[in-house]
Amino acid sequence: MPKMKTNRGAAKRFSLTGSGKIRRGKAFASHILTKKSTKRKRGLRQNGLLDSANTKMLRKLLPYM
């Protein structure tokens, strides 16, 4: 059986935590920042965790993660 290919786009956007959860970056933090509050922008800097609904799909994209 051949090796499975990792989706490189997904590999650059997601990483694994020590407990095995999938870490993701937040959206809406790249431009048009003037209308967003400081509190909101500060929250966007923090990483989020992938929810269980999307975890199964992402495991197929990243088989060796």
Side-chain angles (χ1 to χ4, degrees):
M1 181 122 180
K3 291 185 217 174
M4 293 175 71
K5 280 196 171 182
T6 297
N7 182 295
R8 298 312 295 164
K12 292 168 189 174
R13 287 170 171 80
F14 300 97
S15 61
L16 216 56
T17 63
S19 61
K21 295 176 183 170
I22 298 172
R23 185 184 295 129
R24 63 172 181 84
K26 301 261 181 86
F28 308 111
S30 58
H31 64 120
I32 314 176
L33 297 171
T34 51
K35 63 176 76 171
K36 295 170 187 158
S37 69
T38 308
K39 181 180 178 180
R40 183 174 166 192
K41 288 186 279 191
R42 197 164 52 241
L44 291 171
R45 286 200 296 260
Q46 314 303 317
N47 286 322
L49 291 175
L50 201 67
D51 58 1
S52 58
N54 292 314
T55 301
K56 186 179 178 184
M57 178 268 301
L58 199 79
R59 296 277 181 199
K60 289 181 181 175
L61 295 176
L62 305 170
Y64 300 107
M65 189 175 203

